Amino acid sequence: MTPIIPAKSLNLAVMASGRGSNYEAIYGAIKRQDLDAQIKIVISDKANAVVLDKAKAANIPALHINPRDFNNQAEYEKELVQVLGEYEIDLVVLAGYMRLVGRTLLNAYKNRVVNIHPALLPSFPGLQAQKQALDYGVKFSGCTVHIVDEGMDTGPIILQAVVPVLPGDTEEDLSKRILQEEHCLYWQALQLFAQGRLYLKPDGKGTLCLPPIVI
Ligand code: GRF
C-alpha cells in the first residue's frame, strides 16, 4: 500500500466562498508549526469573499475565479487545474466552498481534494447540516473531514469530532459549537497527509491512518 501523499511539507490551495474561519485556523496551525504545510494560494468563486481579504492581509496570493466567466463547469475547472499546477499544489482544501466539485478537478487531483462538513457524515449531507441535525432531534452532532468524490459529501472519511446537542440549542448555538471543533480537526487531518500516514482502505470505503492515531 502507498500513502495518498508521501510524507512532505504540503503545498496547499484553500478554496472558499465565504468568511474563511477554517482558512484562518489552518493558517494558525502552520504558524504554530503544528501543521507542516504552506498555503500557496487562496481561490474563491465569489469576488467579495472575506477569505480573499484575509489571505491578502497575510501576503498569500488570493484569486477570484468566476465560474460565470466560463462556458461550463469543465472549462472553469480546467482553469482551476491550470492555476493549481502553477503553484505546485499537493492538496486542495475546500473550506466553505459552496459548489460541487466536478470530474475535471477530481481527475487531476485524485483523492487530493478534501472538505470539512458540519455534521457527522453520512448523516445530514448538503446544505444547512446543523439545522437538519436539530430538526431530526439527534443528541450528538459534529464535523467530518473527508476526501471529496463526485457525490454530495460522500467521499472517504478521514477524521470526525463529536459535539453534544444541548436542550434549547438554536441553529446558531450548534453551529458555533461545531465550528470550534472544525478549527481543531481540519489541520489535524491535513497533518496526517503531511506525515504520509493516510491510506485509502483497499475496498475504497474510508481511509486508514498508519501508524494509528493514539488517543
Ligand atoms: C463551515 O461550517 C464548514 O463546515 C462548511 O462551511 C463552513 C465554512 O465556514 N463546509 P468558514 O468560512 O470556514 O468560517
Side-chain angles (χ1 to χ4, degrees):
M1 263 203 315
T2 46
I4 298 172
I5 297 180
K8 74 181 294 263
S9 183
L10 299 172
N11 287 341
L12 303 178
V14 175
M15 293 186 57
S17 307
R19 67 190 164 190
S21 72
N22 275 289
Y23 150 79
E24 280 183 300
I26 292 165
Y27 180 77
I30 293 170
K31 286 277 156 229
R32 296 194 307 274
Q33 300 190 336
D34 283 335
L35 171 58
D36 187 10
Q38 39 287 327
I39 301 176
K40 299 287 276 188
I41 187 163
V42 173
I43 300 174
S44 183
D45 56 329
K46 300 269 183 249
N48 56 357
V50 175
V51 70
L52 291 176
D53 302 326
K54 289 179 176 172
K56 280 178 204 153
N59 285 322
I60 293 172
L63 215 61
H64 169 228
I65 302 182
N66 189 348
R68 291 191 190 162
D69 290 345
F70 300 86
N71 291 325
N72 51 46
Q73 189 183 18
E75 294 294 318
Y76 162 60
E77 291 193 353
K78 251 193 222 165
E79 173 67 14
L80 290 176
V81 170
Q82 161 79 26
V83 172
L84 296 170
E86 280 166 22
Y87 284 87
E88 301 183 333
I89 296 304
D90 299 306
L91 195 63
V92 179
V93 178
L94 308 186
Y97 178 66
M98 301 303 285
R99 302 183 154 265
L100 268 183
V101 177
R103 214 168 284 170
T104 307
L105 181 52
L106 292 178
N107 285 347
Y109 284 82
K110 196 165 166 41
N111 298 319
R112 291 186 295 139
V113 182
V114 293
N115 182 43
I116 189 158
H117 182 73
L120 294 175
L121 292 171
S123 293
F124 314 126
L127 295 174
Q128 293 189 292
Q130 303 92 333
K131 180 172 187 306
Q132 291 185 54
L134 280 177
D135 289 349
Y136 197 93
V138 293
K139 303 294 184 193
F140 291 91
S141 189
C143 48
T144 304
V145 180
H146 65 95
I147 292 171
V148 175
D149 64 12
E150 279 188 69
M152 169 81 86
D153 303 320
T154 48
I157 289 171
I158 302 170
L159 289 180
Q160 294 185 300
V162 178
V163 306
V165 180
L166 301 178
D169 263 356
T170 61
E171 193 182 337
E172 198 190 337
D173 296 331
L174 181 59
S175 300
K176 217 166 148 190
R177 197 173 305 123
I178 292 173
L179 196 63
Q180 268 182 359
E181 290 301 321
E182 291 184 35
H183 294 163
C184 303
L185 194 71
Y186 214 171
W187 66 262
Q188 292 187 52
L190 301 179
Q191 180 63 1
L192 297 179
F193 282 99
Q195 291 172 326
R197 288 172 67 190
L198 208 64
Y199 299 78
L200 267 193
K201 276 170 65 183
D203 64 4
K205 293 191 182 129
T207 59
L208 276 176
C209 175
L210 295 173
I213 296 165
V214 181
I215 299 173

